[in-house]
Amino acid sequence: MTVTGRQVNRARVAEIGAREEASYRDRTRKSASLFARARESMPLGVASSFQAYDPYPLFMTDARGSRITDADGNEYIDFDMAFGVLAAGHSHPLLAEALQHRVANGTCYTFPVEDGIALAEEIRARFGVGLVRFSNSGTEATMDAIRVARGYTGREKIIKFEGGYHGHHDDVLVSIQPPREAMGPVESPATVAASAGIPRSRIAETVIAPFNEPEMLEGILQAHAGEIAAILVEPVQFNIGVVPPKDGFLQRLRALADEHGIVLIFDEVKTGVVLAWGGAYEHYGVQPDLFCLAKSIGGGIPIGAFGGKREVMAAIETLEGTPAFSADARGSGIERSTIPGGATRVAHLGTFNGNPLSMTAGLVTLKQILTKDAYPRLHAMADRLTAESQAILDESGMPGYAINVGPKGCVMFTPGRVTNYRDFIGLDAELWGASFFYLANRGILLPPGPDDQWTLSVQHSDADIDRYIEVFGEFAAELTA
Ligand SMILES: Cc1ncc(COP(=O)(O)O)c(C=O)c1O
């Protein structure tokens, strides 16, 4: 694969971008008026700030299979798939049928259900682990996994990689896309709050490391010897486009975590049951101590899960026998009595955890839809989308490259390969914007941000891929005409 580094005609990019945004406004007047109404009741006019983009978001009414329809009746082939939630596609018939039965028979008991056991067993089989717990989102899954790691080790700091997104709790809402002037040196990046309202005391507990730089990580670990409870990593950085781990990087993380007595947590919210039947664990052959799941495991119903090694997850039952109670194993010299409040186990709670609706959704999605035989076709479709996008880029001279890992991919509009967040900063946002509106106006819906990627589902067809390629080819031809 080549990276061209060639320049496009900036005036042409601006002209197409402006024309396509005007056409978007013209086609989506109902969305514009709903947005004006929404702004009266909700900050930014949306329920989650991720849904807001300029000039206004599309408001949607219906979706099925690979298609989604907006409030003006425009139909799109959906390549966004709810930020990667829908590897099963929209409203899969098997899921729709099972959920109808569930909705008619109670959706929340706060008593356990057998489907929850079966879903935990399925996740254990896929990820080769001992114990699993359920939550309601990816945010909760990473928050809970971090607490388990802290309880288990008796340490308080965590390491997170620059450019990684792990949800919206305070510990991890830092250094997501920090401004260049605040980043600090690459070998010891600053911890930069990504939101107002995060206390300084929280920021002090999260140490930032550069992704794909194991030597620098080693230096950071040495500087914080005996302090780090967990290394939290998204195995492929999917929140700055698509940034895979360099060969051996995840293996190195595994070895460093073992050497320093640190809990290695894979955030598999986007990768789990999407890259492969057993997620990034299967795809890269590296096993973390804990992993976090959400998004695609529920087929479109809110759910989260985390799990891992029995001895680590057992901290939810008792801390007896964990490093937190053994100064030797921990090496930090903290005594048992310093655990705040003298707690003897890690709390994991939640009214909606394991509710029958999400348990049934997860079980049907994993046992009947995202089965082992689904993955070869997903990979083949995604590889073709990337190869044909790359051919268009090569021929047109547009700066950028196409990339996918399994069913998730994108065009990175950057002059060179991105291996971590600092390379990503050079991304050509204007070119990306022109392509987003051009494709949307022709029925190809991508995520509304250059930091996300397309996700293919079992309900996408070869004809859907053909149409994407056709429209992307037209965009390239107009751009370089
Ligand atoms: C890697 C990763 N982790 C965690 C989260 C948070 O998940 P949720 O939005 O369900 O809270 C996301 C959401 O995009 C994510 O991409």
Side-chain angles (χ1 to χ4, degrees):
M1 196 177 288
T2 52
V3 175
T4 63
R6 280 176 276 179
Q7 295 295 308
V8 286
N9 178 337
R10 298 312 316 177
R12 190 84 184 116
V13 176
E15 183 192 322
I16 292 178
R19 184 193 76 199
E20 293 300 323
E21 191 179 316
S23 159
Y24 174 94
R25 287 177 188 271
D26 203 40
R27 293 171 42 250
T28 60
R29 288 162 190 247
K30 187 86 193 285
S31 282
S33 77
L34 287 170
F35 179 64
R37 184 174 146 209
R39 291 219 62 176
E40 297 297 314
S41 303
M42 288 181 273
L44 299 177
V46 289
S48 156
S49 297
F50 274 141
Q51 292 170 9
Y53 64 90
D54 288 337
Y56 52 80
L58 294 173
F59 281 68
M60 300 299 190
T61 56
D62 296 279
R64 187 164 304 177
S66 63
R67 308 291 159 129
I68 190 163
T69 306
D70 73 15
D72 290 270
N74 300 304
E75 188 183 84
Y76 305 84
I77 306 173
D78 188 355
F79 287 89
D80 175 3
M81 290 318 232
F83 293 138
V85 165
L86 293 162
H90 288 286
S91 287
H92 193 286
L94 292 170
L95 194 58
E97 193 189 332
L99 292 184
Q100 259 173 24
H101 170 81
R102 180 37 62 212
V103 168
N105 288 280
T107 56
C108 190
Y109 307 150
T110 64
F111 287 92
V113 292
E114 189 173 347
D115 277 359
I117 309 172
L119 182 56
E121 288 166 350
E122 172 71 10
I123 291 173
R124 286 178 57 210
R126 288 182 182 233
F127 292 86
V129 297
L131 293 170
V132 175
R133 271 282 181 107
F134 294 106
S135 61
N136 304 290
S137 66
T139 295
E140 288 183 32
T142 61
M143 180 182 77
D144 293 326
I146 289 169
R147 186 180 302 137
V148 166
R150 285 177 165 150
Y152 175 79
T153 57
R155 302 172 181 173
E156 298 194 356
K157 290 198 164 129
I158 60 164
I159 287 187
K160 169 198 176 285
F161 293 92
E162 198 170 55
Y165 179 73
H166 302 285
H168 59 274
H169 56 96
D170 289 352
D171 278 325
V172 295
L173 202 58
V174 294
S175 295
I176 290 164
Q177 290 187 15
R180 204 186 283 272
E181 63 281 6
M183 298 188 306
V186 65
E187 65 282 1
S188 62
T191 306
V192 183
S195 167
I198 298 178
R200 284 190 179 80
S201 58
R202 300 309 311 153
I203 289 175
E205 303 303 336
T206 304
V207 176
I208 304 299
F211 190 68
N212 271 331
E213 296 291 351
E215 274 72 37
M216 293 182 194
L217 175 63
E218 222 170 322
I220 291 167
L221 286 173
Q222 256 140 34
H224 293 276
E227 294 177 350
I228 306 292
I231 297 174
L232 175 63
V233 65
E234 189 181 18
V236 180
Q237 283 205 313
F238 273 131
N239 286 284
I240 45 171
V242 175
V243 181
K246 284 184 185 162
D247 280 351
F249 178 64
L250 296 176
Q251 286 80 353
R252 197 69 191 285
L253 289 188
R254 179 66 278 173
L256 285 170
D258 287 342
E259 196 182 310
H260 291 264
I262 293 170
V263 175
L264 179 62
I265 307 176
F266 277 5
D267 178 347
E268 293 231 33
V269 165
K270 277 189 163 176
T271 55
V273 314
V274 176
L275 297 197
W277 186 78
Y281 155 59
E282 177 187 330
H283 193 78
Y284 292 107
V286 175
Q287 190 163 39
D289 301 303
L290 294 179
F291 62 89
C292 306
L293 298 170
K295 294 199 191 258
S296 268
I297 65 167
I301 296 293
I303 187 172
F306 67 102
K309 289 186 177 156
R310 190 168 281 273
E311 62 174 280
V312 183
M313 285 295 285
I316 294 172
E317 294 180 356
T318 175
L319 287 171
E320 292 289 351
T322 67
F325 277 62
S326 151
D328 279 356
R330 196 178 66 247
S332 67
I334 299 172
E335 294 303 319
R336 172 184 177 148
S337 61
T338 66
I339 292 176
T344 54
R345 61 182 165 188
V346 173
H348 173 241
L349 311 160
T351 301
F352 281 100
N353 292 4
N355 70 76
L357 188 68
S358 60
M359 294 300 97
T360 300
L363 197 56
V364 172
T365 301
L366 299 196
K367 288 293 254 191
Q368 298 182 40
I369 302 170
L370 299 179
T371 50
K372 268 188 182 156
D373 55 1
Y375 294 90
R377 184 171 165 271
L378 282 173
H379 280 240
M381 277 196 302
D383 291 347
R384 178 163 82 87
L385 183 48
T386 294
E388 295 184 14
S389 299
Q390 185 61 47
I392 291 168
L393 290 165
D394 286 344
E395 193 174 329
S396 69
M398 257 191 280
Y401 61 95
I403 180 168
N404 70 294
V405 181
K408 295 174 77 64
C410 66
V411 171
M412 300 284 275
F413 288 112
T414 52
R417 284 264 150 189
V418 175
T419 61
N420 62 36
Y421 169 67
R422 294 187 186 213
D423 304 330
F424 174 80
I425 301 176
L427 187 125
D428 188 335
E430 190 185 28
L431 182 55
W432 171 85
S435 79
F436 171 78
F437 288 113
Y438 190 99
L439 269 66
N441 290 335
R442 289 154 188 82
I444 301 292
L445 187 66
L446 286 166
D451 38 15
D452 220 297
Q453 64 291 133
W454 44 257
T455 299
L456 299 185
S457 79
V458 295
Q459 296 194 75
H460 279 90
S461 66
D462 289 330
D464 292 338
I465 310 297
D466 291 342
R467 180 66 188 147
Y468 180 118
I469 290 301
E470 188 183 338
V471 176
F472 188 55
E474 287 165 11
F475 171 65
E478 275 211 41
L479 196 71
T480 51

